[in-house]
Amino acid sequence: MADKKRALLIVDVQNDFCPGGALGVDKGDEVIAPLNRLAREFLSRGDIVVKSRDWHPATTKHFAQYGGTWPVHCVQETVGAEFHHELIDDPRIIIISKGMGDEDSYSAFDGTDLAERLRAENVEEVWVGGLATDYCVKNTALDALREGFRVKALADAMRAVNLKPGDDERAIEEMRSAGAEIIHEAKRMAARR
Ligand code: VGL
Ligand code: ZN
């Protein structure tokens, strides 16, 4: 029987979700250092690292100007859709593109082969962090639970849009009550250094 593995899911750490981007998340770039450190640990153990990216067509009902909620962001092949330049880049990392349709599709599992690819690698547990806590991170964590993975939500390696104040805390609570373990890994790693 092959070894059971863990996967680190780095959700949407792209220019448009970082400060100065089209849908910049306050302090969004602060997730980069802890996620990079975790990614190096995972890769050196032979565990799996995944980076998802919001990868929208120029015209989609996801955008306010076509009837949706959001300013134009993360349009395919634009600088805004590129991963932040400080985010780890390694040929072993799996890249998952999502949000190519007309619906609001926030989860990295929605319309992708991520669950199959993780199962093919004997992954049983996923650690989730990135941007944004109240949309893509939350929906990715909830889908991971539905897919049968154990989930650790990296509460201090994610940041929220907070359209309404408190959305971040409500998102964490939703992940917790669905069965995710909430961990503060950035703090723990900093204390260890
Ligand atoms: C996201 C809003 C719109 C996210 C994506 O990555 O959390 N949020 N599209
Ligand atoms: Zn989007």
Side-chain angles (χ1 to χ4, degrees):
M1 185 76 184
D3 273 359
K4 299 301 182 191
K5 287 188 195 163
R6 293 176 177 163
L8 175 65
L9 307 187
I10 300 177
V11 176
D12 299 7
V13 181
Q14 294 164 271
N15 290 328
D16 272 343
F17 293 124
C18 288
L23 185 38
V25 172
D26 191 33
K27 303 185 174 161
D29 50 344
E30 291 182 2
V31 305
I32 295 170
L35 291 174
N36 282 350
R37 286 203 297 273
L38 275 172
R40 284 191 288 270
E41 277 189 16
F42 272 60
L43 291 173
S44 67
R45 283 199 305 260
D47 280 331
I48 304 298
V49 177
V50 176
K51 297 195 295 197
S52 71
R53 60 180 184 183
D54 218 25
W55 196 242
H56 298 309
T59 306
T60 163
K61 290 177 185 157
H62 185 60
F63 296 155
Q65 65 185 105
Y66 305 107
T69 307
W70 304 106
V72 173
H73 63 278
C74 296
V75 172
Q76 295 163 15
E77 313 294 351
T78 64
V79 172
E82 288 174 9
F83 292 115
H84 190 285
H85 69 278
E86 289 168 5
L87 187 67
I88 186 172
D89 188 19
D90 186 287
R92 292 168 288 182
I93 294 177
I94 297 173
I95 309 251
I96 294 286
S97 304
K98 64 185 178 60
M100 281 101 89
D102 251 328
E103 338 60 47
D104 291 325
S105 160
Y106 296 117
S107 161
F109 290 94
D110 189 5
T112 74
D113 60 358
L114 179 55
E116 291 71 32
R117 291 179 74 170
L118 295 180
R119 279 194 273 272
E121 297 279 359
N122 289 303
V123 169
E124 289 197 328
E125 178 176 289
V126 302
W127 295 33
V128 186
L131 307 172
T133 306
D134 35 358
Y135 293 94
C136 288
V137 173
K138 178 183 85 174
N139 284 282
T140 297
L142 296 177
D143 270 356
L145 290 162
R146 284 184 203 109
E147 292 284 354
F149 299 104
R150 271 197 310 280
V151 173
K152 290 192 198 294
L154 299 161
D156 56 0
M158 58 178 72
R159 294 291 184 274
V161 177
N162 278 332
L163 281 185
K164 288 199 299 292
D167 279 354
D168 48 356
E169 282 165 25
R170 280 186 289 275
I172 297 270
E173 200 38 54
E174 220 179 309
M175 290 187 265
R176 187 204 314 275
S177 58
E181 184 183 342
I182 311 299
I183 63 174
H184 292 80
E185 185 64 13
K187 215 157 77 182
R188 193 184 66 78
M189 292 182 101
R192 238 179 13 187
R193 290 199 320 153

